[in-house]
């Protein structure tokens, strides 16, 4: 393998920098994280799909989140775990595989924002305009919101990667734990100003709309709760808003840091750390968005207690 002659179709992945002593602990940690994310998110999807009393707009919209989390972690973690026990000089991937991974990595990243935006909209209508909730959040509206979130993500990422794959390549090393658009266009020696401008513009637009809509929505929800007379319900609603925003901030900061640090090669190690923090939200989402939802929590407790009574 040392004498392998690179062609334009073969790339060297930098992957995670681990020592032989830490490779097994890191692998086990990532494996446990991956299993937990997949099992917990799959369980939520199955639970919502099979339980008729969970067939509500809020829960159907929520299904987009675990589906996206499973896709994102499946695209990222198995490949990283596969390369942990390989020498850094033998971590190869074809260019086509790298493009496919980058495509789904970016869909995962963008869809996170859009899905959280439509979920925040649903909660806003439910709390701030409850009398019109059933009229607004119909099954048709749920399908439209979900299709818009995924369709817009696919459309933007297709343009993003389309601008990159048109470039010729003069390098063959991906300096990142996984493939992404910036790592791909850095393989080119051509002028990548268009790629940089489009990437920055779409990132600013997505982040601005995402951050603005989520905080404005939850801000209005908090205002309604504070001015309402039902203090017990208001306290629970505010607590839920705070935890949701906390998870959102973790996702936002990790994504923003990863994108920002790509512009500064001297902070490559910090960028790698930020990229791996992106697997934290998929592990927190089932706990925060799933188990904090009363109906889902009660159903989980009912299933657990039934299994405990009937072993």
């Amino acid at each position: 393998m040392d004498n392998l002659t690179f062609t334009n179709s073969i790339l060297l992945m930098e992957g995670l920098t681990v020592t032989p002593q830490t490779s097994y602990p890191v692998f086990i940690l990532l494996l446990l994280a991956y299993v937990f994310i997949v099992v917990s998110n799959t369980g939520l999807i199955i639970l919502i799909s099979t339980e008729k009393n969970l067939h509500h707009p809020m829960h159907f919209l929520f299904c987009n989140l675990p589906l996206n989390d499973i896709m994102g972690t499946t695209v990222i973690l198995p490949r990283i775990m596969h390369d942990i026990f390989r020498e850094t000089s033998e971590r190869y991937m074809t260019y086509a595989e790298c493009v496919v991974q980058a495509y789904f990595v970016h869909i995962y990243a963008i869809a996170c924002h859009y899905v959280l935006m439509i979920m925040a909209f649903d909660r806003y209508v439910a709390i701030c305009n409850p009398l019109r909730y059933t009229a607004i959040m119909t099954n048709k509206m749920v399908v439209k919101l979900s299709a818009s979130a995924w369709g817009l993500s696919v459309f933007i990422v297709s343009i993003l990667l389309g601008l990159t794959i048109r470039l010729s390549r003069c390098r063959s090393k991906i300096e990142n734990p996984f493939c992404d658009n910036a790592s791909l266009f850095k393989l080119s020696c051509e002028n990548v100003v268009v790629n940089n401008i489009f990437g920055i513009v779409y990132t600013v637009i997505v982040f601005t709309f995402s951050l603005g809509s989520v905080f404005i929505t939850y801000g209005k929800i908090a205002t309604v709760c504070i001015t309402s007379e039902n203090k017990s319900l208001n306290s629970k609603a505010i607590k839920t808003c705070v935890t949701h925003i906390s998870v959102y901030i973790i996702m936002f900061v990790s994504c923003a840091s990863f994108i920002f640090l790509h512009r500064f090669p001297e902070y490559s190690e910090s960028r790698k750390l930020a990229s791996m923090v992106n697997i934290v939200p998929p592990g927190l989402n089932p706990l925060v968005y799933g188990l904090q939802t009363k109906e889902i929590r009660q159903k989980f407790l009912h299933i657990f207690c039934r299994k405990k009574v009937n072993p």
Side-chain angles (χ1 to χ4, degrees):
M1 296 296 288
D2 294 333
N3 297 322
L4 177 66
T5 300
F6 277 106
T7 65
N8 283 340
S9 63
I10 300 176
L11 304 176
L12 178 65
M13 299 294 299
E14 190 172 54
L16 288 181
T17 305
V18 293
T19 64
Q21 293 77 20
T22 59
S23 58
Y24 282 98
V26 171
F27 176 83
I28 293 172
L29 181 63
L30 292 178
L31 178 62
L32 290 175
Y34 179 64
V35 170
F36 173 76
I37 290 169
V38 171
V39 171
S40 59
N41 283 289
T42 302
L44 281 173
I45 294 174
I46 294 174
L47 182 66
I48 293 172
S49 301
T50 56
E51 295 294 332
K52 290 185 178 180
N53 62 334
L54 295 178
H55 290 179
H56 302 300
M58 176 182 70
H59 301 122
F60 284 136
L61 288 176
F62 171 72
C63 278
N64 289 291
L65 197 59
L67 183 64
N68 188 49
D69 289 341
I70 292 170
M71 180 194 71
T73 51
T74 299
V75 168
I76 295 172
L77 285 184
R79 180 71 201 196
I80 291 177
M81 291 188 290
H82 176 266
D83 287 341
I84 281 180
F85 298 111
R86 288 186 171 188
E87 295 292 332
T88 54
S89 60
E90 296 185 357
R91 295 173 178 176
Y92 299 112
M93 178 185 280
T94 67
Y95 180 76
E97 290 174 334
C98 193
V99 170
V100 171
Q101 186 184 52
Y103 186 82
F104 286 102
V105 164
H106 282 277
I107 287 180
Y108 158 69
I110 297 177
C112 278
H113 291 274
Y114 290 141
V115 170
L116 291 177
M117 286 167 65
I118 62 177
M119 288 175 61
F121 172 74
D122 172 79
R123 291 298 81 206
Y124 170 75
V125 176
I127 296 175
C128 299
N129 203 352
L131 297 179
R132 297 194 60 204
Y133 180 76
T134 54
I136 296 174
M137 296 305 298
T138 61
N139 291 336
K140 189 175 181 179
M141 176 60 77
V142 170
V143 172
K144 283 183 178 180
L145 289 172
S146 300
S148 298
W150 289 102
L152 201 54
S153 300
V154 169
F155 176 71
I156 292 176
V157 174
S158 296
I159 297 176
L160 188 73
L161 268 297
L163 290 172
T164 296
I165 61 176
R166 69 185 173 85
L167 300 170
S168 61
R169 300 182 297 280
C170 61
R171 303 181 185 91
S172 58
K173 185 177 181 180
I174 298 292
E175 298 179 345
N176 206 47
F178 51 83
C179 294
D180 65 302
N181 181 61
S183 297
L184 281 171
F185 71 64
K186 285 180 181 179
L187 299 177
S188 178
C189 292
E190 294 183 34
N191 190 324
V192 293
V193 172
V194 174
N195 300 71
N196 270 313
I197 291 176
F198 182 82
I200 292 172
V201 169
Y202 104 82
T203 299
V204 170
I205 291 174
V206 171
F207 280 10
T208 300
F209 274 99
S210 172
L211 191 66
S213 63
V214 168
F215 275 88
I216 289 173
T217 299
Y218 282 119
K220 289 186 176 181
I221 291 174
T223 302
V224 170
C225 292
I226 293 171
T227 57
S228 177
E229 296 180 357
N230 192 335
K231 300 303 179 183
S232 176
L233 182 62
N234 296 343
S235 176
K236 293 179 181 179
I238 292 175
K239 182 181 177 181
T240 300
C241 289
V242 170
T243 52
H244 286 193
I245 290 175
S246 299
V247 174
Y248 175 82
I249 290 174
I250 294 174
M251 181 202 72
F252 183 91
V253 171
S254 61
C255 287
S257 300
F258 177 65
I259 294 171
F260 177 76
L261 291 172
H262 247 306
R263 272 67 190 172
F264 300 93
E266 62 270 24
Y267 298 115
S268 60
E269 293 302 318
S270 299
R271 187 188 71 244
K272 293 177 191 176
L273 178 61
S275 69
M276 295 308 297
V277 174
N278 283 303
I279 69 171
V280 173
L284 293 177
N285 288 337
L287 302 176
V288 174
Y289 291 98
L291 296 183
Q292 271 212 348
T293 303
K294 182 180 178 181
E295 296 86 352
I296 295 177
R297 184 174 66 251
Q298 287 178 341
K299 185 56 63 176
F300 262 118
L301 291 174
H302 175 71
I303 294 173
F304 176 77
C305 293
R306 186 171 59 188
K307 286 185 178 181
K308 192 172 181 180
V309 174
N310 300 306

